[in-house]
Amino acid sequence: MAFAITQTCCNDATCVSVCPVNCIHPTPEERAFGSTELLHIDPRACIDCGACADACPVDAVLPVDRLTGGQREYARINAAYFEQTGTPARSGPNLHAWGAPSFDRVLPPDFGPLRVAIVGTGPAGMYAARDLLLHTRAEVTFVDRLPVAGGLVRYGVAPDHPATKKVGETFARFLTHPRARTYLGLDVGADVTAAELAAHHDAVIYAVGAGTDRRLGVPGEDRPGSVPATTFVAWYNAHPEVAPDAVDLSCERVVVVGNGNVALDVARMLVTDPKTLAGTGIAGHALAELRRSKVREVVLLGRRGPEDAAYTRPEVLALKHLPGVDLLIDDHDPRIGAAVDASGAGDKAAVLRGVAREAVDWSLPPGAAGRRRRIVFRFRSSPVAVCGGEETRAVRVTGGTAEPEIPAGLVLRAIGHRGVAQAGLPFDETTGTVPHERGRVAGRPGTYVVGWIKRGPSGGIGANRACAAETVGSLLADAVAGALPAPAGGPRAFRRLVRRRRR
Ligand code: SF4
């Protein structure tokens, strides 16, 4: 009986490197790795050794015969990947092709330990730290402006995804590594300057993510009751900068603009039975509000059709198996149903096969009968305005013959994150990133970026592993080449500086 990779796959490919028969694909060397939603195990070749399950940081790998409920679909999804791509079955020893030997990341033996500051303790910063702490003698200074470490793993992952949150435990052990020192609640730019941080380290890596949300640019966007999905996510994760009363769930319908995985996360949280959320890491104030919630329907507004939706299929599969929740596709445009009907097995639209379709009459009260709740996918539709007076009452949208108004008391915009300019660093306003070359910040020797502030807000947790490897590779190459500016002070001086600033 083979193993299968399931919904929580983080794509960091740790499993690939431990599989003795090379049957997990796509590998980081294969072109499909950059766009795959999850990795797959070839059931024809798996020898059932369990090495991948032991190595997986998010418990995504399970024996096929132990899959339950909605997980069972992943046996078929794993096998179908190999049928559709024609990836041949592997057996025997792991035959990864080795490239020519490369020594550019090896520091000479007489090289003293590098002192590297990492700003941000989310996945990107922690993958960089792991690389430095496990593969070099570097000393790492972690700096995070928040009082709790973890970045998006702590404050961005939904509490009903405990397996994904578990990767945080893997990262957290590096915070207490003997060669690491951690400063929480220290804001670079406010408490210490970027120049001061640089002056006490050989190099600084910024892993600050994309700290704000993209705006809709429509009238009424800032009306009370129209908030970024990032605020909602931070609210239920007890982010210290979001007030406990930041979200009011006294309305019956919520419109979520966007249909990426964040949009699906917030929709799922809004309709999940609060009983199943108790005991997760959800904030107490959020659980109390969800228990009082009057929300019966969540509308997911997507600009494109189901064939090009931004979500990944595992997140929709999770919605399909949510107890007490109906899914509906608003059939306001004939191209939507046609795309679902014409979809092949591996196509994105195919995940919506079997979901009910009807042209929703928005003048009627929110749907779904009795105690059931409903999620409505409205594709090929964009917001034109958030309407209301002192509070949000509706969203006017495109699509269909007119511009209908969808009554809603809460609008969450989930159309993506955006990087924020960092004091002392260059910034590209168009992309919301710091200009760099393989992680090196342009015009700032000894300064590097990793994660979303480097490549823009795309890719999940695992995508940061390769991103961090590239940045750390650049840093080490610069160290060997003597291109890092000499620091004026050491760790003790930095400690004293921080103590002074915190008085
Ligand atoms: Fe490879 Fe063993 Fe995992 Fe099968 S169980 S995919 S053989 S590591």
Side-chain angles (χ1 to χ4, degrees), residues 2-3 15 18-24 41-42 45-53 61:
F3 277 62
C15 55
V18 299
C19 177
V21 294
N22 192 20
C23 69
I24 306 177
I41 290 174
D42 188 342
C46 174
I47 58 169
D48 208 12
C49 70
C52 52
V61 192

Side-chain angles (χ1 to χ4, degrees), residues 430-473:
T430 311
T431 60
T433 59
V434 171
H436 71 96
E437 191 266 319
R438 296 182 68 78
R440 296 178 179 92
V441 176
R444 300 285 194 287
T447 306
Y448 302 83
V449 281
V450 70
W452 283 0
I453 195 66
K454 170 187 174 186
R455 61 178 203 276
S458 69
I461 292 170
N464 292 299
R465 190 173 172 211
C467 181
E470 181 187 69
T471 294
V472 171

Side-chain angles (χ1 to χ4, degrees), residues 30 49 83 115-116 148 208 215 261 279 287 317 346 358 367 410:
E30 293 168 353
C49 70
E83 285 155 23
R115 293 199 302 270
V116 181
V148 178
V208 292
R215 294 180 59 77
N261 284 350
L287 185 60
L317 284 174
E358 79 178 44
L410 178 64

